[in-house]
Amino acid sequence: MISIKQIPVLSDNYIWLINASEEFTAVVDPAIPDPVIDELKKNNWKLTHIFNTHHHNDHTGANLELKNITNCKIIGPKSDFQRIPGIDICYKDKDEFSFGNETVRIMDIPGHTKGHIAFYFNKSQALFCGDTLFALGCGRVFEGTMEQMWDSLVKIKNLPKETKVYCAHEYTLANGNFALTIEPENQKLKIRMNEVILKREKGISTVPSILLDEIETNPFLRPDSIEIQKKLSLVGSSDLEVFTKIRLLKDSFRG
Ligand code: ZN
Ligand code: FE
C-alpha cells in the first residue's frame, strides 16, 4: 500500500508525495521546496526519491534544493536527461523498479516535451502523468508532434479503466468549458462538469480523476465520438486528424 498526499503550489500546480514504507518516499514534480519539506515533516516521512515527468521548471524547480537537504535520488526520462537538474537515474519506456511493495512501470509519453515519462504503480493502479493527460484535457504540444502526443494518450487510454490519474495541474474547470463546446450533447460530460463546478466553488481539488471518466468525457481521448466528428466536420477521419483538430481548437480557445 502507498499513501499519497497532494500539495497544491503556485497558481495551479499539484506536487504529489508518495510514501510506500520507511525507506521509500518520493515526491513527484516538485516545483518549489518549502511546502514539500513541510508535508514531509508533518507525516514524519524521509524523502528518498524525486520523480520527474519532464524538464519544465514548474516540475523540477526544487530538485537541487531537495537533493541537497535530503540526499534523495532523482529519477527522470532517459530521453531528456540533460535537462533534468541533478538527475541520478534515467528510465525509458517499460523500465520497472521496486518502490516498497510496489512495482513502478515507466511509460514514455512524449509530445508536451521531447522527453516525458509517466510513473505507473501497478498494485495501486495509480498513474502520475505530469502534463500529458489532464482531467478533461491534455497538455499543450510544445516540443513533440501531434502524432507523438496522440500515441502517448492511447498508451494511457489502454491502462486499466480503474486507474487513478494524478496529473500535475488543476485545469479541470477551464478544460471542461472547452470540452462542452466540442461535445455539448455528452450527458456524462455535463454531469461531470456540474460536479467540477461545485467542487471548484468550494475550493476542492478535482484531481486525481478516474481513467474511465476521462475516456467517457475527455474530448482528447474521444476522437472516435460521432458527435465530435460531426461537430468538427471530420466524419470518418482518423483519430489522429480529429485529435489534432481538437488540440488546435483548444490552443486558441478563450473560455
Ligand atoms: Zn510542462
Ligand atoms: Fe506544468
Side-chain angles (χ1 to χ4, degrees):
M1 275 296 289
I2 51 173
S3 62
I4 301 171
K5 302 282 179 193
Q6 180 189 66
I7 310 174
V9 298
L10 308 179
S11 56
D12 49 40
N13 278 71
Y14 287 132
I15 299 174
W16 301 100
L17 201 55
I18 309 166
N19 173 262
S21 70
E22 240 169 67
E23 296 84 41
F24 290 94
T25 300
V27 66
V28 184
D29 286 350
I32 52 173
D34 294 355
V36 177
I37 293 163
D38 291 346
E39 193 64 32
L40 286 164
K41 276 192 193 137
K42 212 169 100 187
N43 293 280
N44 206 12
W45 291 343
K46 181 187 168 306
L47 189 69
T48 57
H49 295 82
I50 293 173
F51 294 172
N52 287 136
T53 61
H54 66 294
H55 78 90
H56 283 155
N57 192 252
D58 64 320
H59 300 252
T60 60
N63 273 19
L64 297 181
E65 194 164 340
L66 288 175
K67 186 173 175 176
N68 245 326
I69 297 168
T70 65
N71 209 21
C72 64
K73 294 285 180 221
I74 301 180
I75 297 180
K78 183 168 193 173
S79 50
D80 211 359
F81 72 94
Q82 300 96 331
R83 295 193 290 179
I84 305 290
I87 193 165
D88 296 294
I89 305 166
C90 299
Y91 282 129
K92 60 177 189 321
D93 200 40
K94 298 191 177 77
D95 281 345
E96 292 188 341
F97 63 92
S98 298
F99 192 79
N101 295 324
E102 287 265 358
T103 302
V104 180
R105 187 169 87 243
I106 300 296
M107 296 165 66
D108 270 327
I109 48 169
H112 176 69
T113 54
K114 182 172 77 72
H116 191 304
I117 55 175
F119 297 82
Y120 184 71
F121 284 71
N122 267 318
K123 270 189 209 153
S124 300
Q125 298 190 319
L127 176 75
F128 296 85
C129 57
D131 289 354
T132 300
L133 180 67
F134 291 128
L136 287 174
C138 85
R140 278 181 187 259
V141 180
F142 283 127
E143 299 175 5
T145 64
M146 290 290 186
E147 189 169 9
Q148 282 177 331
M149 185 56 128
W150 172 243
D151 289 346
S152 296
L153 292 175
V154 169
K155 276 189 190 174
I156 294 175
K157 201 176 170 179
N158 287 333
L159 291 169
K161 306 278 178 279
E162 315 79 53
T163 296
K164 290 169 286 295
V165 181
Y166 293 83
C167 66
H169 291 273
E170 178 65 58
Y171 288 156
T172 317
L173 187 60
N175 286 340
N177 284 329
F178 170 75
L180 284 170
T181 69
I182 297 293
E183 200 175 19
E185 301 305 321
N186 181 333
Q187 294 306 316
K188 285 180 173 158
L189 171 58
K190 288 194 222 174
I191 292 166
R192 184 175 178 192
M193 259 310 267
N194 286 333
E195 292 166 3
V196 166
I197 290 164
L198 286 176
K199 277 190 174 171
R200 294 313 295 150
E201 277 172 2
K202 295 180 192 155
I204 298 171
S205 170
T206 63
V207 182
S209 58
I210 305 295
L211 183 57
L212 177 65
D213 293 332
E214 299 306 331
I215 291 170
E216 290 181 338
T217 58
N218 184 329
F220 294 98
L221 297 182
R222 300 177 53 74
D224 53 348
S225 149
I226 297 300
E227 187 192 350
I228 292 180
Q229 292 185 7
K230 281 188 181 155
K231 188 92 190 162
L232 304 181
S233 304
L234 289 173
V235 176
S237 298
S238 70
D239 287 349
L240 175 60
E241 286 170 306
V242 180
F243 165 77
T244 301
K245 181 71 187 176
I246 301 171
R247 187 57 261 176
L248 292 173
L249 286 169
K250 176 68 166 67
D251 288 346
S252 55
F253 178 72
R254 296 287 170 268

